[in-house]
């Protein structure tokens, strides 16, 4: 064993004279990456330095992640002589600016990560982590290949939505997914907290929302209440922020309100046979006060300054509005001719409430038809079969996040042989489709400058265990990151070559992932039939 270990160490040292691989192993692929010569041999004795307390947390993240994945501890040590050093340098400028660019240089003499902002520094740190994890090691030393990287993202919004209403994702698992988002430089976590099955956010003024509305899920209405306490939310938000991730809460309205209406039926606007008690009542003044109170507490918990109000699929359950005296009165007072105008009037009023709190509004693409504040509204285009909604949003000047069902709905199956999950006229969302999706091709002459970025949405109707969460997210999360970061994606083979090493890390983390190269390795988790 001693001879084998010695041979490995000598082999690592010999690598310092060899040329680096020509394909940068980082995912997402950097904008510019030139291989150098030789390697930097990293060990527990390698000193780490940084020039600003503002990046102390990012350096701590790097050391902790490296320790977790390699077993090698790094510490800040006194530098003596010409000891090779890892240096993190925050350059002069506004550290909180939105610029996410960075430079990363690895030579035989040292490693340096430089950026002008905290976001850029974190991105560069993650790229260094990828290089280290893709390098040869004997368990005590890592021979990090030499690279010169200059990088910045194609889009500022690189998002993932998790539907925790239909299936509640426990806090430890959610924090783990935040770690993986950070590992892939995704920077917006959209939490779909409320819907028909359950309400997942503690609201102090209305405790029954969580205690009663939090009961059950999409597949089992008899589950005990599960939700995030306000203390949980503070931890989740802070944990994400330390990893360059902004958390966006969604309180869906005026539809998808069934769980809330179980808790406080006095604010229900009724529903349909298929979607009972689906809406809030737009004809009651008390409804606006009630929802304003909820949004106020939500605003206090989430420092992102963005409140997602939903606004989708209201027609699924607004059947009773025209039989409501309060709704009819408001229609007469405002000159509204149909329930669609009632819906848009409701959303304009709730948007005014959000703006009065100093926050911006986010909503699904149905709200592109509403005259909301252009500079304070973000539209999420999700209906891939309605491109006119995208063009309308862009032409009106709304900042828009692209998250169409094809290819960014991760509840869709990813292989033709899968039995659980959705398809669209036989189409599904394979790894290749996520990787290669092009917003520029989609826009077709529309003003794509208003595109903030892209986002994948994981709806959880088919989820009954965290293993299926993993199966739907991995490795498509890696393809999403490249789709959101890298401008030109024309080499899927290179991407899959870089992805191969990630399967080992998924295994080490205990993820139940899908391997498109070996589908039989992890059979598809099939969910049980929904309880009536």
């Amino acid at each position: 064993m001693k001879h084998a270990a010695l041979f490995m160490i000598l082999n690592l040292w010999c690598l310092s004279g060899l040329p680096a691989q020509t394909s940068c192993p980082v995912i997402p692929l950097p904008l510019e990456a030139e291989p150098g010569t030789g390697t930097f041999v990293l060990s527990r004795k390698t000193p780490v330095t940084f020039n600003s307390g503002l990046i102390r947390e990012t350096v701590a993240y790097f050391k902790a992640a490296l320790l977790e994945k390699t077993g090698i501890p790094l510490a800040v040590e006194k530098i003596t002589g010409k000891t090779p050093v890892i240096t993190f340098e925050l350059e002069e400028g506004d550290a909180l600016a939105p610029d996410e660019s960075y430079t990363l240089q690895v030579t035989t003499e040292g490693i340096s990560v430089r950026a002008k902002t905290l976001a850029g520094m974190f991105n560069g740190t993650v790229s260094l982590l990828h290089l280290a994890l893709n390098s040869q090691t004997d368990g005590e030393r890592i021979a990090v290949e030499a690279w010169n990287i200059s990088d910045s993202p194609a889009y500022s919004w690189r998002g993932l939505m998790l539907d925790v209403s239909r299936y509640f994702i426990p806090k430890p698992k959610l924090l783990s997914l935040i770690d993986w988002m950070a590992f892939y430089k995704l920077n917006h976590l959209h939490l779909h907290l409320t819907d028909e099955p359950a309400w997942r956010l503690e609201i102090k003024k209305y405790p029954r929302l969580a205690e009663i509305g939090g009961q059950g899920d999409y597949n089992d209405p008899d589950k005990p209440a599960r939700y995030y306490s306000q203390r949980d939310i503070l931890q989740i938000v802070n944990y994400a922020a330390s990893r360059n991730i902004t958390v966006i809460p969604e309180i869906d309205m005026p539809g998808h309100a069934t769980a809330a209406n179980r808790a406080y039926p006095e604010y229900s606007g009724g529903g349909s046979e298929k979607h009972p008690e689906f809406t809030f009542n737009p004809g009651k003044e008390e409804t606006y006060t009630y929802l304003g109170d909820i949004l106020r507490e939500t605003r206090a918990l989430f420092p992102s300054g963005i409140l997602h109000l939903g606004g989708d699929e209201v027609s699924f359950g607004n059947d009773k509005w025209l039989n409501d005296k309060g709704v009819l009165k408001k229609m007469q007072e405002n000159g509204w001719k149909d329930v669609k105008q009632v819906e848009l009037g409701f959303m304009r009023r709730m948007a005014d409430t959000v703006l009065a709190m100093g926050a911006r509004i986010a909503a699904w693409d149905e709200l592109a038809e509403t005259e909301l504040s252009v500079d304070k509204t973000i539209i999420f285009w999700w209906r891939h079969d309605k491109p006119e909604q995208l063009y309308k949003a862009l032409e009106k000047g709304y900042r828009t996040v692209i998250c169409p069902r094809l290819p960014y709905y991760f509840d869709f199956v990813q292989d033709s042989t899968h039995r659980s999950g959705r398809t669209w006229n036989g189409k599904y969302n394979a790894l290749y489709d996520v990787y290669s999706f092009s917003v520029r091709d989609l826009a077709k002459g529309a003003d794509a400058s208003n595109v903030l970025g892209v986002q994948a949405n994981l709806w959880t109707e088919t989820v009954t265990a965290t293993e299926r969460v993993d199966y739907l997210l991995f490795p498509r999360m890696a393809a999403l990151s490249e789709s959101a970061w890298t401008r030109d994606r024309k080499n899927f083979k290179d991407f899959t070559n870089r992805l191969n090493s990630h399967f080992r890390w998924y295994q080490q983390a205990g993820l139940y992932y899908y391997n498109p190269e070996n589908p039989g390795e992890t059979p598809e988790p099939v969910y049980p039939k929904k309880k009536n």
Side-chain angles (χ1 to χ4, degrees):
M1 291 294 293
K2 289 182 179 179
H3 292 296
L6 179 60
F7 177 79
M8 177 61 76
I9 292 171
L10 290 173
N11 190 40
L12 286 171
W13 287 340
C14 289
L15 284 173
S16 62
L18 298 177
Q21 60 181 329
T22 57
S23 178
C24 183
V26 175
I27 294 178
L29 189 68
L31 181 63
E32 297 178 10
E34 293 292 333
T37 301
T39 62
F40 176 91
V41 180
L42 179 156
S43 73
R44 66 179 60 217
K45 295 182 179 180
T46 302
V48 177
T49 68
F50 55 96
N51 70 337
S52 171
L54 293 174
I55 58 175
R56 184 183 304 276
E57 203 167 27
T58 295
V59 176
Y61 163 83
F62 173 73
K63 293 192 294 181
L66 189 73
L67 176 62
E68 176 191 3
K69 296 183 186 300
T70 69
I72 296 177
L74 295 177
V76 178
E77 298 180 8
K78 184 177 180 180
I79 302 172
T80 57
K82 295 184 179 180
T83 304
V85 177
I86 301 175
T87 301
F88 297 86
E89 183 178 343
L90 185 65
E91 298 173 333
E92 290 188 11
D94 181 0
L96 300 179
D99 176 21
E100 293 192 75
S101 62
Y102 69 92
T103 59
L104 167 60
Q105 186 177 45
V106 181
T107 70
T108 57
E109 301 301 319
I111 295 175
S112 66
V113 183
R114 292 186 174 87
K116 293 182 179 179
T117 66
L118 300 184
M121 179 58 66
F122 189 85
N123 291 331
T125 299
V126 171
S127 289
L128 173 57
L129 181 62
H130 279 228
L131 291 180
L133 295 180
N134 276 285
S135 300
Q136 294 192 43
T137 178
D138 64 353
E140 295 290 332
R141 297 166 176 81
I142 302 174
V144 184
E145 293 187 338
W147 282 95
N148 289 303
I149 294 174
S150 180
D151 197 12
S152 62
Y155 294 111
S156 62
W157 190 293
R158 306 179 300 281
L160 176 67
M161 189 218 76
L162 297 175
D163 170 15
V164 296
S165 171
R166 291 173 177 83
Y167 175 79
F168 181 76
I169 299 177
K171 184 177 68 173
K173 181 62 177 179
L174 184 58
L175 295 178
S176 172
L177 293 177
I178 288 171
D179 278 333
W180 283 106
M181 288 180 65
F183 188 73
Y184 288 122
K185 300 189 181 82
L186 300 176
N187 65 350
H188 284 83
L189 171 60
H190 171 184
L191 287 179
H192 187 78
L193 293 162
T194 71
D195 212 304
E196 292 179 82
W199 182 284
R200 303 301 190 189
L201 176 65
E202 178 189 22
I203 299 296
K204 298 287 189 183
K205 190 167 185 177
Y206 301 102
R208 295 203 304 273
L209 283 170
E211 294 166 359
I212 296 175
Q215 295 174 7
D217 64 17
Y218 182 85
N219 289 286
D220 185 356
D222 299 324
K223 281 187 177 179
R226 303 192 73 184
Y227 56 89
Y228 304 113
S229 69
Q230 294 197 357
R231 185 182 296 271
D232 289 335
I233 291 297
L234 291 174
Q235 182 182 355
I236 291 165
V237 166
N238 289 334
Y239 192 84
S242 70
R243 287 152 176 75
N244 192 38
I245 296 170
T246 301
V247 185
I248 310 298
E250 181 180 355
I251 306 295
D252 214 341
M253 60 181 72
H256 294 278
T258 310
N261 290 335
R262 284 203 311 269
Y264 292 94
E266 59 267 39
Y267 303 110
S268 176
S272 62
E273 182 179 355
K274 193 173 181 180
H275 299 275
E277 308 305 325
F278 184 73
T279 64
F280 293 115
N281 191 330
K284 279 187 174 182
E285 278 301 305
E286 296 88 343
T287 302
Y288 300 96
T289 302
Y290 165 66
L291 292 175
D293 292 338
I294 291 170
L295 292 175
R296 224 164 265 112
E297 287 197 32
T298 306
R299 170 75 173 97
L301 292 169
F302 293 87
S304 62
I306 302 173
L307 295 178
H308 199 300
L309 303 183
D312 63 315
E313 300 178 329
V314 182
S315 61
F316 285 7
N318 58 8
D319 300 14
K320 297 182 180 180
W321 283 7
L322 290 179
N323 297 321
D324 184 275
K325 291 181 180 179
V327 172
L328 293 172
K329 182 180 178 182
K330 286 195 176 295
M331 290 178 71
Q332 184 178 20
E333 291 173 348
N334 292 282
W336 295 335
K337 296 179 181 180
D338 53 33
V339 291
K340 183 63 177 179
Q341 290 189 333
V342 174
E343 171 194 333
L344 298 179
F346 171 95
M347 292 304 293
R348 282 193 295 270
R349 182 160 175 183
M350 295 314 305
D352 288 342
T353 299
V354 170
L355 294 177
M357 298 175 192
R360 288 183 290 166
I361 306 141
W364 301 111
D365 63 44
E366 286 91 334
L367 269 294
E369 300 173 17
T370 310
E371 299 305 320
L372 300 176
S373 173
V374 169
D375 61 336
K376 296 180 180 178
T377 301
I378 300 171
I379 295 295
F380 287 66
W381 179 69
W382 65 281
R383 291 181 291 178
H384 73 279
D385 56 327
K386 293 188 180 294
E388 66 273 12
Q389 287 297 109
L390 171 62
Y391 305 148
K392 184 180 295 183
L394 295 176
E395 287 166 5
K396 285 187 172 183
Y398 288 121
R399 303 288 273 167
T400 304
V401 175
I402 307 296
C403 52
R405 283 171 292 206
L406 296 176
Y408 285 147
Y409 268 31
F410 281 4
D411 54 316
F412 278 55
V413 300
Q414 49 195 321
D415 188 271
S416 61
T417 63
H418 292 169
R419 294 182 291 147
S420 297
R422 297 173 62 192
T423 60
W424 188 276
N425 295 328
K427 295 180 180 179
Y428 52 92
N429 291 335
L431 185 71
Y432 173 80
D433 297 319
V434 179
Y435 163 84
S436 59
F437 179 74
S438 171
V439 173
R440 285 180 295 181
D441 292 344
L442 175 72
K444 293 181 180 177
D447 187 2
S449 65
N450 285 321
V451 173
L452 274 178
V454 300
Q455 175 174 294
N457 297 335
L458 177 59
W459 303 101
T460 52
E461 287 94 336
T462 67
V463 175
T464 57
T466 56
E467 288 79 9
R468 185 158 176 83
V469 172
D470 293 345
Y471 196 81
L472 295 172
L473 287 177
F474 299 95
R476 288 190 291 193
M477 189 188 289
L480 170 68
S481 81
E482 191 127 326
S483 179
W485 185 279
T486 307
R487 289 159 177 79
D488 295 308
R489 297 172 305 285
K490 298 179 181 178
N491 195 338
F492 183 64
K493 183 178 180 180
D494 176 71
F495 169 74
T496 55
N497 287 340
R498 285 179 283 123
L499 182 63
N500 282 335
S501 62
H502 294 232
F503 296 142
R504 181 178 73 253
W505 306 333
Y506 296 165
Q507 289 174 345
Q508 291 174 352
L511 297 178
Y512 194 88
Y513 64 95
Y514 169 65
N515 185 347
E517 299 296 322
N518 183 16
E521 180 180 336
T522 48
E524 180 192 16
V526 180
Y527 69 100
K529 290 184 178 180
K530 180 181 179 182
K531 286 186 179 181
N532 294 325

